[in-house]
């Protein structure tokens, strides 16, 4: 009886801790969403006031204000899109369209399709295949993973160019594939490594730079990779 009681007490303690953690994460999530919506909205509102009040008095200034508003609108669109995608992937009703394909062929086709854009952004790719393997993949969702990693490479680099190394192979038991994606950027601080896949987490705690993304991209990547097992 004492043992059962202790187990029940421990279970209740864990349940309370889980609820408190969930409540904390929920508050952080709402705060992050509010901030990331407010920043571009405030900017758009300021440019609108400038147009209405005649501060942008020349066609050149008006064009500059309108272009800035368009950029902030795209920031909002991207944020809403990432939120929608994350919610879709977490849904119990979501199903991946898996087909068995060569991982090597998939990556080579992706790099060929993106060669022009990566060239314009000064991104050099080194692709190494230690051992090819057939894996069950949803090509559309897996492409989204690579798109996000490439975007982060460009967005956070400190130079005008990037070197990306992609390596693939199999585990010794040949039951799983592995993929390594690395670049020559500044990297992630060690104390942030455990949190970079959390929704809305950004290394820059101040969250003042709207061009640094919403912090949703890697959360979407994590969901897709988990969905692929």
């Amino acid at each position: 009886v004492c043992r059962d009681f202790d187990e029940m007490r421990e279970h209740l303690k864990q349940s309370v801790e889980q609820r408190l953690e969930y409540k904390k994460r929920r508050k952080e999530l709402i705060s992050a969403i509010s901030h990331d919506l407010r920043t571009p909205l405030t900017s758009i509102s300021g440019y609108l006031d400038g147009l209405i009040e005649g501060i942008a008095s020349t066609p050149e200034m008006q064009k500059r204000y309108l272009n800035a508003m368009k950029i902030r609108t795209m920031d909002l669109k991207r944020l809403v899109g990432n939120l929608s995608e994350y919610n879709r992937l977490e849904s119990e009703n979501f199903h991946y369209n898996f087909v068995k394909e060569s991982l090597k062929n998939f990556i080579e086709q992706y790099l060929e399709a993106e060669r022009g854009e990566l060239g314009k952004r000064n991104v050099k790719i080194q692709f190494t295949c230690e051992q090819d393997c057939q894996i069950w993949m949803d090509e559309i969702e897996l492409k989204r993973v690579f798109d996000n990693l490439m975007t982060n490479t460009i967005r956070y680099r400190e130079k005008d160019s990037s070197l990306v190394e992609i390596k693939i192979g199999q585990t010794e038991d040949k039951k799983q594939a592995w993929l390594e994606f690395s670049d020559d950027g500044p990297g992630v601080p060690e104390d942030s490594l455990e949190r970079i896949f959390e929704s809305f987490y950004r290394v820059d705690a101040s969250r003042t730079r709207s061009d640094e993304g919403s912090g949703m991209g890697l959360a979407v990547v994590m969901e897709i990779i988990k969905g692929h097992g």
Side-chain angles (χ1 to χ4, degrees):
V1 172
C2 288
R3 185 173 64 249
D4 289 345
F5 182 80
D6 283 343
E7 289 178 357
M8 181 179 68
R9 180 175 56 81
E10 183 62 28
H11 175 74
L12 288 172
K13 179 184 176 184
Q14 291 176 358
S15 179
V16 170
E17 289 175 349
Q18 288 173 352
R19 285 202 302 272
L20 290 173
E21 179 63 23
Y22 172 78
K23 187 175 181 181
K24 178 186 174 185
R25 289 289 305 279
R26 184 171 176 272
K27 288 176 68 176
E28 290 176 350
L29 188 63
I30 292 173
S31 175
I33 293 173
S34 298
H35 179 279
D36 284 353
L37 288 174
R38 187 184 303 115
T39 300
L41 284 173
T42 301
S43 179
I44 291 170
S45 178
Y47 285 117
L48 276 173
D49 287 342
L51 289 169
I52 293 170
E53 295 169 8
I55 297 174
S57 55
T58 66
E60 291 78 13
M61 285 186 67
Q62 291 169 1
K63 185 177 180 179
R64 191 163 69 247
Y65 274 41
L66 290 170
N67 284 334
M69 289 165 61
K70 182 177 180 180
I71 291 171
R72 298 298 174 261
T73 302
M74 293 303 295
D75 289 341
L76 285 172
K77 185 178 179 181
R78 185 166 54 247
L79 173 60
V80 173
N82 282 334
L83 281 169
S84 176
E85 178 65 14
Y86 184 72
N87 186 58
R88 183 175 70 92
L89 291 169
E90 275 204 320
S91 170
E92 294 180 357
N93 298 322
F94 177 76
H95 298 288
Y96 289 91
N97 296 313
F98 287 124
V99 291
K100 200 166 189 179
E101 297 285 353
S102 158
L103 182 58
K104 176 176 180 287
N105 288 349
F106 168 79
I107 294 174
E108 286 178 341
Q109 290 171 9
Y110 173 85
L111 294 176
E112 178 61 28
E114 298 295 321
R115 183 171 59 177
E117 184 63 26
L118 293 174
K120 285 195 297 184
R121 306 301 293 271
N122 296 321
V123 179
K124 183 180 179 181
I125 306 292
Q126 290 184 356
F127 175 44
T128 305
C129 175
E130 294 190 4
Q131 190 172 11
D132 190 19
C133 51
Q134 300 282 320
I135 70 168
W136 290 100
M137 67 171 79
D138 184 320
E139 294 184 354
I140 293 176
E141 299 303 332
L142 208 55
K143 179 181 180 298
R144 198 185 305 276
V145 169
F146 279 89
D147 286 345
N148 186 273
L149 296 177
M150 292 294 185
T151 298
N152 280 1
T153 283
I154 296 166
R155 176 176 287 148
Y156 296 108
R157 68 188 180 188
E158 296 174 343
K159 302 180 294 182
D160 294 330
S161 62
S162 300
L163 174 63
V164 172
E165 295 184 72
I166 302 173
K167 299 178 183 179
I168 63 170
Q170 289 188 38
T171 55
E172 289 186 9
D173 59 12
K174 296 188 177 181
K175 291 183 178 180
Q176 284 187 307
W178 58 263
L179 184 149
E180 182 180 299
F181 184 105
S182 60
D183 63 26
D184 58 349
V188 179
E190 190 171 344
D191 58 356
S192 296
L193 285 175
E194 293 185 357
R195 299 197 61 192
I196 58 173
F197 293 103
E198 293 179 13
S199 306
F200 284 97
Y201 180 77
R202 287 207 294 252
V203 174
D204 177 18
S206 67
R207 306 175 65 88
T208 55
R209 290 183 56 184
S210 62
D211 62 327
E212 286 193 350
S214 66
M216 283 294 296
L218 287 181
V220 170
V221 165
M222 175 63 86
E223 285 299 315
I224 294 172
I225 295 301
K226 282 164 58 180
H228 279 71

